[in-house]
Amino acid sequence: MNRRWIVALAFALCTIPSLVFAESPPQSVHWGAIAFPDHDPTLTLSTAVLDRFTQFDGAGRRYNDINQTMGFNFFTISWTKPLTQLPGWNLNLTAGGGPTRDGPSRFLQNDVVHKLRGFDPVPVGEKRDANDFMLSGTMTRWFGILGTSDVFFAGVGGAGGSLYYEPYVQAGFRRLAILNLIPVLGDYLRVSGLARYGRPFSGAAFHQVAPQSYLAQASVGLGNYHHWKDCTPWEIELAVTVDSGLFVDHRGDALEERFVSLALRYSAFTFETWNDLINQKDYGPTFGARLTLDLFYMYDRWFH
């Protein structure tokens, strides 16, 4: 493992970097994390990735037949490389793992968020206590349409580990400028959209998952996009996700989920959080968060 980290960091020091943001850990996509692929070369480290699955809501109602509350605490590394042999294509590899425990996500859910909003705490019964991991890989083709820059993408990918397995296809656009006729808004406003189809299979943590998954995500971003190369970059991105559901109910039918996500990016740091707030419930895949460091950017701006 130490040798792999040395190789990864050595690659970061030998590559011309630019500011980009890590692809989400595979399980976080079904919790509402922003799921768009990376356009440029990147090596990022997510020092804390929290995803919480609660079997009960505040009233004690069960989500489905899963009889455990699970708090996933992952450390994740994500690497994206444009392929010189296939111009326009990017390869991404993402790996993450860590202890599955009740905390600290239980503290954040009950003692922070619920207290601030005046909600009852979510009860917890049996808890999963294990060390889990997930791996994913994608091949993404970037291209332009009708004279636009290469902000459109289509690709294939797969994810697997101790939680579940899922091959998928996806397509969409990333940071598309739609208001270029209005100079100020055109410089600072971007929109993104993604559609994904997946075929999940069960794993050690989730013994029964939906036979298929349809996911749609849209976001709007506000940032100094035209000045990322010569100024400290910043961005505020708000996203909405509709997922036909990774999980199923007591009859085996998929449980649709809706999420809202917020990402705050400044310099080499990104903080993102996601929540099922717009689903008007608080059980099943309820919320998550992550803090990401862009290693390429850190080296380029701080050490080069």
Side-chain angles (χ1 to χ4, degrees), residues 39 88 141-153 172-173 176:
H39 179 277
R141 177 70 165 91
W142 291 89
F143 55 92
I145 297 178
L146 299 177
T148 63
S149 58
D150 56 343
V151 297
F152 293 87
F153 64 86
F173 53 91
L176 175 65

Side-chain angles (χ1 to χ4, degrees), residues 159 161 163-167 199-204 206-211 246:
L163 306 188
Y164 67 93
Y165 299 85
E166 183 183 15
R199 176 64 175 90
F201 297 90
S202 60
F206 302 127
H207 302 297
Q208 186 179 15
V209 295
L246 174 65

Side-chain angles (χ1 to χ4, degrees), residues 49-51 70-75 96-105 128-133:
V49 181
L50 307 178
D51 288 303
M70 308 182 192
F72 302 108
N73 307 297
F74 275 30
F75 295 87
T100 298
R101 303 291 188 269
D102 193 30
S105 56
R128 179 174 173 83
D129 188 343
N131 295 315
D132 289 304
F133 73 97

Side-chain angles (χ1 to χ4, degrees), residues 3 16 64 122 154 169 209 283:
R3 291 181 179 178
I16 298 176
N64 61 1
V122 176
V169 295
V209 295
Y283 56 151

